[in-house]
Amino acid sequence: MWAYILKRLLLMIPTLFGVMLITFVVTQFVPGGPVEQLIHQMKGQGAGGEASGSMSTLYRGDRGLDKERIESLKALYGFDKPAHERFFEMIKNYATFDLGESYFHHKSVMELVVSKLPVSISLGVWTFFIVYLTCIPLGVAKAVRDGSAFDVISSTVILVGYAIPGFVLGILLLVLFGGGSFWDIFPLRGLVSDNWATLPWHAKITDYLWHMVLPITASVVGSFAVMTMLTKNSFIEEIRKQYVLTARAKGLSENTVLYKHIFRNAVIPLVTGFPAAFIGAFFTGSLLIETIFSLDGLGLLSYESVLKRDYPVVLGTLYLYTLLGLVAKLLSDLSYVLIDPRIQFESVDR
């Protein structure tokens, strides 16, 4: 197994390199780069405007600016160097987790990501735990009662929730419970209240949880269907197998058969996705949910960085997310062995 782990770790290097190379090349041909946007702003025309398809060709608005001024602006953002030189310098810095500095926020990319994490963690981690702790028991109950009224009604409810987009549900919750046209029960915006710092510790916890009710509800409802139905189908498949009939024929109780024999095999596809889902929960960013509830998280940061062509933020966060995704995938594969010792990576490698 250790040889397999080492091989997977070594394969991460060319994968990361390939992802960053393709993204870097694409950014060189995206019109309206940071230099062009700054020149346009200096001309008093805002950040919009008509752009050409090359980084070396500037907006029409740059006519009238002297060449030395334009070159100094390019040097400010590092575009005075050849593209290949900038790429390898970026890779060298990324190897030490130096993700660069944002063009527009004037902060390091890592500092920006850390500052946005409270919102993303609040949305992602709560959604993760609520989904797993609710859907697995619900899926087991649906599998045991397959075809019953409980199964039909619960399937209908979760599928209706799945069909409603999260941002639509968020708007509906704000209108109903956020002081819109009906009840003013939950806070309208933000992660905490303005006076949060002055509150006692128990009031801080209550205030935080109270602010999280609506955005978490909007985020979690659509996630119930997939996990619940996956759990149900996995258990139904195991229930119909021969070893279950044998266990029942031996006189074992239904709870013993379900939780000692069926559960261990049926839970494999659920638990193997656990590491990736858990790591991803810390970096979850939902632009629409964050915008609706005025939450400044990673989703909004990513969206703004793309619009503003803030390449250090775009490339730095992509590098970080890709690395975490590769690690999560490795942990998912290793979880197979922990759950089912019959799986041996050595035989897979052959």
Side-chain angles (χ1 to χ4, degrees):
M1 185 173 72
W2 291 109
Y4 175 82
I5 295 175
L6 179 60
K7 183 185 297 185
R8 288 290 299 271
L9 291 175
L10 292 176
L11 283 174
M12 289 182 186
I13 298 175
T15 303
L16 272 173
F17 185 86
V19 170
M20 299 311 301
L21 176 61
I22 294 173
T23 308
F24 182 84
V25 170
V26 170
T27 59
Q28 304 310 299
F29 297 96
V30 175
V35 175
E36 289 88 341
Q37 292 199 24
L38 183 58
I39 290 175
H40 221 62
Q41 291 173 2
M42 292 173 62
K43 297 293 291 182
Q45 298 175 358
E50 188 176 344
S52 67
S54 172
M55 285 295 298
S56 59
T57 305
L58 302 176
Y59 284 104
R60 292 192 222 173
D62 73 290
R63 295 175 183 176
L65 291 178
D66 58 273
K67 187 175 181 181
E68 293 183 359
R69 181 63 171 168
I70 296 174
E71 292 300 324
S72 67
L73 292 177
K74 289 184 178 180
L76 177 66
Y77 292 114
F79 290 110
D80 56 329
K81 301 177 182 178
H84 70 276
E85 184 177 335
R86 286 187 280 117
F87 175 74
F88 285 106
E89 182 179 347
M90 179 189 74
I91 293 297
K92 179 182 177 181
N93 293 333
Y94 283 5
T96 59
F97 288 94
D98 179 7
L99 304 182
E101 183 174 319
S102 169
Y103 292 151
F104 298 95
H105 295 278
H106 305 294
K107 295 181 180 179
S108 69
V109 175
M110 189 64 76
E111 184 181 352
L112 275 175
V113 171
V114 172
S115 67
K116 308 296 183 182
L117 276 181
V119 170
S120 298
I121 290 176
S122 296
L123 289 174
V125 174
W126 281 114
T127 300
F128 170 81
F129 281 111
I130 291 173
V131 168
Y132 265 82
L133 294 177
T134 303
C135 293
I136 292 180
L138 179 59
V140 174
K142 286 172 63 62
V144 173
R145 299 171 178 83
D146 184 35
S148 66
F150 168 79
D151 180 38
V152 174
I153 293 173
S154 59
S155 295
T156 303
V157 171
I158 62 174
L159 289 176
V160 169
Y162 180 74
I164 301 175
F167 70 94
V168 174
L169 180 60
I171 295 173
L172 178 63
L173 291 174
L174 283 179
V175 172
L176 291 177
F177 305 109
S181 303
F182 296 90
W183 303 281
D184 185 7
I185 300 176
F186 295 102
L188 186 63
R189 53 178 295 160
L191 197 62
V192 293
S193 300
D194 295 334
N195 64 334
W196 187 80
T198 63
L199 298 175
W201 67 268
H202 57 87
K204 287 183 177 180
I205 296 175
T206 303
D207 181 77
Y208 164 75
L209 294 176
W210 207 240
H211 278 77
M212 283 291 96
V213 170
L214 294 187
I216 292 299
T217 302
S219 300
V220 79
V221 168
S223 304
F224 280 146
V226 175
M227 183 60 64
T228 301
M229 300 310 293
L230 177 62
T231 303
K232 175 190 173 182
N233 293 334
S234 180
F235 271 81
I236 288 178
E237 182 180 356
E238 293 298 322
I239 288 173
R240 294 171 179 172
K241 289 186 176 179
Q242 184 64 40
Y243 74 89
V244 176
L245 298 176
T246 303
R248 287 172 175 167
K250 290 181 179 180
L252 298 179
S253 65
E254 282 298 319
N255 285 338
T256 301
V257 173
L258 180 62
Y259 294 106
K260 186 176 181 180
H261 296 276
I262 298 175
F263 189 85
R264 184 173 184 177
N265 294 320
V267 82
I268 290 177
L270 306 177
V271 177
T272 51
F274 187 94
F278 185 73
I279 293 177
F282 287 88
F283 296 92
T284 297
S286 176
L287 170 63
L288 295 175
I289 296 297
E290 291 176 12
T291 302
I292 291 170
F293 294 99
S294 301
L295 301 172
D296 188 11
L298 290 174
L300 195 59
L301 174 66
S302 300
Y303 176 72
E304 290 178 346
S305 63
V306 171
L307 283 185
K308 295 180 178 180
R309 308 295 193 267
D310 198 346
Y311 296 142
V313 177
V314 173
L315 295 170
T317 52
L318 176 66
Y319 172 81
L320 189 61
Y321 298 160
T322 304
L323 179 60
L324 291 172
L326 291 172
V327 172
K329 180 61 177 175
L330 175 59
L331 293 176
S332 297
D333 291 344
L334 295 178
S335 64
Y336 274 104
V337 177
L338 298 178
I339 298 171
D340 191 351
R342 295 172 297 177
I343 298 176
Q344 298 294 330
F345 288 122
E346 288 78 5
S347 60
V348 174
D349 291 338
R350 296 193 193 101

